[in-house]
């Protein structure tokens, strides 16, 4: 019996409660990603510390907590409860409108737009002019939209400054958001997102290693900012394999997790490099080699696939099925940035199922426990298990699959978004959905 203890939240009698994991698995791969842990007619309790205290059959929870009190009780009859999404990533709190890139895409490739002055350099120009407060206001607005789409943990990157002052301005804005918003944030330094105008790739690499990273280390040690990850755009015409190796290793040496762009537009052997360096994750991978896939599986390096980017930039689809079959830890991300303007992980999961031939179970695992693993957070996030943070969403459907099945339908489906057991978003206009 739980006695007369007070708790933060009781979710009662959910039609389906999707735990995702049931044995504290840090990730799911191969057949494990297709066998999600799910309870029917189930309840869940979140304590005052924001962590899950109990998950189980509704009658068992009712009996165990019969004398307990709760700050809030939600009747989930006819509804489904799922873990909050780990959105990978809001790529940069940038300050530019690049809708014109969509127009240019009618006849140009991504790199052609970049070389013509659009793309990254266009955004860099505007981000350098923006104040920290302006960047923070934009970031908060975007985080709010992601939260309402069911995301409770987000990776936020710098990378539209390229010079030290602007990169730090972006990271400070991310830090202020981390301290003042409900959504969880993992911060990534991406000063090697492009070669700054007027520099060679070698000069930019030296500047990052000799100036940017020592300053980051100083600010991390002082507690002024918290940076979790380091990213490099390893690509032909940007940072080659050796420059990428130098930057990533220098970042790792100051305690940053390696989590970088690789094998997106050209085969660069980025996957092999990431596996060698002990990278936590590599994103994109549209042009990954067979050898790179095997190396990532052996190294337990997560593949963060980005269906919205492949769709919007008309890239070759990543080999999701081959990765799954080889035992790679497959995660999904939105890749939100000026050329992939997508806030919705439900839409990302839908695209993964349609274009990458993932099952709905695999897509959900990829957007929850495996995305949390890719951020080094699967011990606290990504599944609904006792001891983990109480981040979850309630959808107004008797089958959880409707969150993926209904393309663009999440606004009518998501009833509640909850962080640490507190209701952060409640959709009073949420519509009840048939299971058929």
């Amino acid at each position: 019996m739980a006695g007369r203890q007070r708790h933060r939240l009781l979710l009662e009698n959910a039609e389906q409660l999707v735990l995702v994991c049931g044995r504290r698995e840090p990730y799911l791969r191969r057949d494990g990603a297709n066998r999600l842990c799910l309870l029917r007619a189930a309840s869940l309790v979140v304590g005052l510390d924001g962590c899950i205290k109990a998950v189980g059959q509704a009658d068992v929870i009712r009996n165990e907590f019969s004398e307990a009190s709760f700050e809030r009780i939600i009747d989930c009859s006819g509804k489904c409860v799922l873990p909050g999404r780990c959105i990978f990533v809001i790529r940069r709190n940038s300050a530019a409108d690049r809708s014109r890139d969509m127009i240019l895409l009618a006849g140009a490739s991504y790199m052609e737009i970049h070389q013509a002055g659009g793309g990254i350099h266009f955004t860099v120009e505007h981000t350098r002019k923006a104040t920290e407060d302006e960047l923070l206001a934009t970031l908060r607005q975007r985080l709010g939209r992601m939260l309402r789409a069911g995301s409770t943990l987000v990776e936020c990157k710098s990378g539209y400054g390229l010079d030290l002052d602007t990169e730090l301005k972006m990271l400070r804005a991310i830090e202020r958001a981390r301290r003042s918003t409900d959504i969880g944030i993992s911060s990534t330094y991406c000063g090697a997102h492009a070669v700054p105008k007027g520099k060679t790739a070698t000069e930019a690499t030296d500047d990052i290693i000799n100036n940017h990273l020592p300053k980051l280390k100083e600010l991390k040690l002082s507690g002024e900012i918290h940076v979790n990850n380091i990213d490099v755009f390893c690509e032909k015409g940007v940072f080659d394999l050796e420059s990428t190796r130098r930057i990533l290793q220098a970042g790792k040496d100051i305690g940053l997790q390696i989590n970088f762009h690789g094998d997106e537009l050209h085969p660069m052997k980025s996957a092999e490099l990431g596996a060698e360096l002990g990278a936590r994750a590599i994103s994109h991978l549209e042009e990954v080699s067979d050898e790179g896939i095997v190396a990532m599986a052996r190294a337990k390096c997560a593949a963060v696939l980005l269906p919205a980017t492949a769709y919007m930039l008309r890239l070759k689809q990543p080999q999701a099925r081959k990765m799954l079959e080889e035992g790679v830890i497959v995660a999904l991300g939105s890749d939100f940035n000026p050329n992939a303007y997508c806030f919705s992980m439900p839409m990302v999961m839908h695209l993964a199922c349609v274009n990458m031939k993932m099952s709905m179970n695999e897509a959900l695992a990829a957007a929850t426990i495996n995305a949390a693993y890719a951020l080094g957070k699967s011990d606290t996030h990504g599944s609904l298990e006792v001891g983990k943070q109480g981040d979850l969403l309630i959808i107004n459907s008797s089958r959880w699959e409707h969150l993926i099945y209904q393309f663009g339908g999440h606004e009518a489906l998501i009833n509640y978004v909850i962080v640490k057991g507190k209701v952060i978003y409640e959709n009073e206009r949420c519509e009840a959905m048939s299971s058929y």
Side-chain angles (χ1 to χ4, degrees), residues 21-81:
C21 299
R23 298 188 300 275
R24 303 293 295 194
E25 299 95 328
Y27 51 79
L28 295 175
R29 57 180 177 175
R30 291 194 171 95
D31 292 342
N34 251 328
R35 293 195 302 267
L36 302 182
C37 187
L38 180 149
L39 299 177
R40 300 180 188 277
S43 297
L44 177 147
V45 173
V46 181
L48 294 176
D49 62 355
C51 294
I52 297 170
K53 300 302 177 187
V55 180
Q57 297 304 136
D59 56 347
V60 174
I61 298 295
R62 190 178 302 115
N63 181 59
E64 183 179 351
F65 291 85
S66 61
E67 296 185 19
S69 61
F70 300 89
E71 291 182 355
R72 183 154 185 182
I73 299 173
I74 299 176
D75 180 8
C76 297
S77 299
K79 300 179 181 181
C80 294
V81 179

Side-chain angles (χ1 to χ4, degrees), residues 8 46-51 182 389-392 418-422:
R8 182 167 289 170
V46 181
L48 294 176
D49 62 355
C51 294
D182 296 301
Q389 190 164 302
D391 292 2
L392 44 94
I418 295 165
V419 176
K420 296 181 182 178
K422 292 184 178 180

